[in-house]
Amino acid sequence: MGKEKVVLAYSGGLDTSVAIKWLQEKYNLDVIALVVNLGQPADIEAVRDKALAIGAVESYMIDARKEFAEEFVLPALKANAVYEGRYPLATALARPLIAKHLVEQAGRSGAKTVAHGCTGKGNDQVRFEVSVAALNPFLEVIAPIREWGVSREGAIEYARKHGIPVPVTKKSPYSVDENLWGRSCECGVLEDPWVEPPADAFSWTRDVSQAPDEPDYMEIDFRAGKPVAINGKKKEFVKLILDLNRVGGKHGIGRVDMLENRLVGIKTREIYECPAAIILPLAHRELEALTLERDLVHYKAGLEQKYAEVVYYGQWYSPLKEALDAFIDKTQESVSGTIRVKLFKGNAIVVGRRSKKSLYDYSLATYEAADAFSHESAKGFIKLFGLPIKVWAKKQRKQESR
Ligand code: ARG
């Protein structure tokens, strides 16, 4: 009888590399490695081959860039989902998609178990395991690094003993995660929240002092909430995101330095680089301001915060998230038009907006002769609108004079 199998989400890094050997030794499992390409700048084919060299019985590579952009990033953009007002959720959006491919590969390979390389301190373990449970509640999950409780030095030692290649290049002091929607950077000196991030913490964006002296203008076309063209040129969503990352990064746009509340109760200092994920929500929000009725915009803002929390907490596959998507999709029907954004010296600034669905009415807004707003109606409106406060104020007076 053959051995039982486990499908491991493999990144090529130290933790998931030692996990291959550890799963074999500790659980006597055949390890099937799964590498998911979400636009991280790694050499994905080399990563796939590395898993085989270490001892995985099979290793698969999935190009999920388009799926990630269309089915994960886009719904989050429609929801303007930004955690704690600043983090556009790149890592949080990626985990449920990786989990989906783990579950599918387990089905194809007849594996009863999947594995991930997360520690016990982060959000990612929650996102992987809750997503796997939602997609196949009968699968087992093993988290080798969490279970083993190994230190970084211990992992390197273990790798050496088992002939697992450890990158000999000057070890980055940071823990980095990257995909199309952003890059995160933690650890090292960044663990002191008072210390300004050193230059080597960044890789996608220039320092503002190095930004060009001429601005770039981006006219972003949206159709039903989806960005479809830049400066009149139609672009696939993946390409459009990559272009904005490049141009935005050149202007020093997209750096976030924040103190963040993890789901597991820890406050953590995070550095993000995410030019496209700053520019697109900015433009998208502005187009909503132009095309959505007032009460809808206000009500949606509350749900946006909830949406971000649901994504951050790993509840991507959940009835609440499905219901939120239905609401948000309905709101996007009229979100079509063009937003003009100026990129300059670290700032992305909206400088123009237009839409066939625009609710902006010049004759209502203008202070010039064409004004069609009913000024006499304002008087009665204020009387009734302010009535409860007036009643309250009179009562206050009476009580004070008693
Ligand atoms: N703090 C961010 C989040 O929770 C980034 C996590 C990065 N993950 C990682 N394994 N390095 O989504």
Side-chain angles (χ1 to χ4, degrees), residues 235-379:
K235 280 188 203 288
E236 274 235 280
F237 194 32
V238 169
K239 175 83 169 69
L240 187 145
I241 292 169
L242 291 172
D243 284 358
L244 287 179
N245 279 336
R246 186 175 39 76
V247 184
K250 184 181 82 178
H251 287 282
I253 291 161
R255 292 187 175 187
V256 176
D257 175 351
M258 74 182 279
L259 202 89
E260 174 179 307
N261 288 291
R262 284 190 189 163
L263 176 55
V264 293
I266 300 168
K267 283 194 192 291
T268 170
R269 196 272 189 93
E270 302 275 341
I271 304 298
Y272 299 109
E273 290 178 287
C274 44
I278 296 291
I279 297 165
L280 286 174
L282 174 82
H284 180 256
R285 266 207 188 90
E286 188 71 8
L287 188 56
E288 289 188 329
L290 185 67
T291 58
L292 297 187
E293 183 273 332
R294 179 189 64 193
D295 285 1
L296 180 56
V297 181
H298 290 184
Y299 192 78
K300 182 172 182 278
L303 293 189
E304 289 171 352
Q305 201 182 333
K306 187 65 199 171
Y307 197 100
E309 207 173 271
V310 163
V311 173
Y312 190 86
Y313 291 176
Q315 298 163 310
W316 184 264
Y317 306 108
S318 68
L320 174 55
K321 155 73 171 41
E322 268 180 37
L324 289 173
D325 273 333
F327 177 89
I328 288 178
D329 271 335
K330 177 71 189 168
T331 65
Q332 297 302 291
E333 287 171 0
S334 61
V335 185
S336 300
T338 306
I339 300 296
R340 188 157 191 257
V341 184
K342 178 178 177 174
L343 309 181
F344 190 51
K345 300 283 183 196
N347 290 306
I349 307 152
V350 172
V351 293
R353 62 288 274 164
R354 70 172 176 228
S355 166
K356 287 194 180 113
K357 309 267 188 181
S358 170
L359 299 179
Y360 177 87
D361 186 330
Y362 172 78
S363 69
L364 289 178
T366 185
Y367 286 92
E368 314 212 328
D371 185 6
F373 181 78
S374 166
H375 291 244
E376 64 281 7
S377 303
K379 198 174 163 193

Side-chain angles (χ1 to χ4, degrees), residues 394-402:
K394 281 184 179 162
K395 190 79 183 177
Q396 296 286 103
R397 284 277 178 108
K398 262 193 207 144
Q399 280 170 345
E400 272 162 27
S401 62
R402 257 203 316 215

Side-chain angles (χ1 to χ4, degrees), residues 37-309:
N37 182 0
L38 300 171
Q40 64 275 40
D43 178 350
I44 300 287
E45 281 173 33
V47 171
R48 180 193 53 193
D49 295 344
K50 184 174 174 185
L52 294 172
I54 294 168
V57 294
E58 291 164 40
S59 184
Y60 298 100
M61 179 180 77
I62 288 170
D63 184 353
R65 284 175 292 186
K66 190 167 167 133
E67 185 182 18
F68 181 53
E70 305 274 343
E71 288 168 41
F72 291 77
V73 171
L74 183 58
L77 174 61
K78 288 176 175 175
N80 299 317
V82 179
Y83 183 66
E84 295 186 338
R86 303 190 69 196
Y87 167 42
L89 297 161
T91 298
L93 288 164
R95 296 307 182 247
L97 176 54
I98 298 171
K100 174 179 173 239
H101 285 291
L102 277 179
V103 169
E104 287 176 2
Q105 186 60 47
R108 285 192 291 271
S109 300
K112 296 197 189 90
T113 310
V114 296
H116 61 74
C118 304
T119 69
K121 295 186 74 168
N123 299 309
D124 290 332
Q125 52 176 345
V126 182
R127 297 168 183 152
F128 273 127
E129 292 178 34
V130 173
S131 296
V132 167
L135 295 170
N136 183 346
F138 303 104
L139 277 175
E140 297 288 335
V141 183
I142 304 177
I145 302 302
R146 185 178 67 201
E147 200 177 306
W148 184 6
V150 69
S151 68
R152 187 150 184 105
E153 296 73 35
I156 291 172
E157 175 68 25
Y158 182 88
R160 291 256 152 78
K161 241 199 326 223
H162 290 83
I164 296 167
V166 178
V168 277
T169 51
K170 189 179 135 281
K171 189 179 71 95
S172 161
Y174 307 117
S175 161
V176 170
D177 186 57
E178 294 175 275
N179 63 51
L180 284 176
W181 201 230
R183 173 182 190 269
S184 72
C185 186
E186 331 167 350
C187 303
V189 291
L190 303 174
E191 287 181 354
D192 181 346
W194 183 251
V195 171
E196 183 175 351
D200 71 352
F202 300 103
S203 118
W204 288 21
T205 57
R206 283 191 203 175
D207 189 83
V208 180
S209 63
Q210 311 294 312
D213 290 326
E214 290 300 318
D216 271 303
Y217 287 88
M218 296 279 171
E219 291 186 13
I220 307 170
D221 290 339
F222 290 83
R223 288 285 164 279
K226 181 183 183 183
V228 291
I230 291 185
N231 293 335
K233 269 209 201 85
K234 280 213 169 356
K235 280 188 203 288
E236 274 235 280
F237 194 32
V238 169
K239 175 83 169 69
L240 187 145
I241 292 169
L242 291 172
D243 284 358
L244 287 179
N245 279 336
R246 186 175 39 76
V247 184
K250 184 181 82 178
H251 287 282
I253 291 161
R255 292 187 175 187
V256 176
D257 175 351
M258 74 182 279
L259 202 89
E260 174 179 307
N261 288 291
R262 284 190 189 163
L263 176 55
V264 293
I266 300 168
K267 283 194 192 291
T268 170
R269 196 272 189 93
E270 302 275 341
I271 304 298
Y272 299 109
E273 290 178 287
C274 44
I278 296 291
I279 297 165
L280 286 174
L282 174 82
H284 180 256
R285 266 207 188 90
E286 188 71 8
L287 188 56
E288 289 188 329
L290 185 67
T291 58
L292 297 187
E293 183 273 332
R294 179 189 64 193
D295 285 1
L296 180 56
V297 181
H298 290 184
Y299 192 78
K300 182 172 182 278
L303 293 189
E304 289 171 352
Q305 201 182 333
K306 187 65 199 171
Y307 197 100
E309 207 173 271

